[in-house]
Amino acid sequence: MIENILANFSARFAGAIINFLILLLTTNYLGLDARGEISLIQLALNILHLLSDVAGGPGMVYLVPRTRLRPLLWIGYSWALGINAVFGWLVVHFGDINPEYQWRVVAIAVLLSLHSVNQNILIGREKIKHYNGLLLTQALLLIGIMSACIFSHYQYSAVAFVTAGLIGAATVFLLSTFFVFRLPDLPSLKIIE
């Protein structure tokens, strides 16, 4: 138990440091205009994530150990896709996000919403190492790809963030899906002595 708490704290602390480095990277190399666009993109992603977490969020952590996995996945994925289909374009369009990459922001929102369902299932099945690994992987991919876009491809705009976000979200979604589909459909029965 203590080991899981320390591992989770360490992963979150490392993620916070990486996010701070991303903030420094964007403010020092991309400028204020790009930083403003990135903030609007993050706001849109957070709004869509909050809406999609209604059915696929923390409540699922409670249900996962008590229920079959496949129906929960179906409900969580359907809700995430439905919410992003209905509200994704509205949030992105009225959030004053550049039309050049609006569809990519919606794609990131979909991938992050589906990944959130997977993460909550992993937590519910007590796969904390997988959860922490995915948390760190996403942060490292984001800063690594952004750095490559800025320093190798000379992209000094919010496109660097959007590209890194799309690749990072797709990667962690595929990894988390791999982990989730390796879980048994039925929860394990624990005998209390």
Side-chain angles (χ1 to χ4, degrees), residues 69-75 77 114-115 117-119 121-122 125 127 130 134 172-186:
L69 191 59
R70 303 301 180 236
L72 290 176
L73 272 174
W74 188 84
I75 290 167
Y77 285 174
L114 295 173
H115 173 61
V117 171
N118 290 343
Q119 279 188 307
I121 287 172
L122 290 171
R125 288 287 178 93
K127 303 296 183 190
H130 294 318
L134 290 167
V172 293
F173 168 65
L174 291 173
L175 286 171
S176 65
T177 302
F178 173 76
F179 293 140
V180 165
F181 279 94
R182 290 186 56 190
L183 296 172
D185 190 33
L186 294 172

Side-chain angles (χ1 to χ4, degrees), residues 15-31:
I17 289 173
I18 293 169
N19 284 331
F20 180 69
L21 293 174
I22 290 170
L23 177 68
L24 291 177
L25 185 70
T26 57
T27 54
N28 288 324
Y29 290 98
L30 300 184

Side-chain angles (χ1 to χ4, degrees), residues 125-126 187-192:
R125 288 287 178 93
E126 299 177 8
S188 60
L189 298 174
K190 295 181 180 178
I191 300 172
I192 301 172

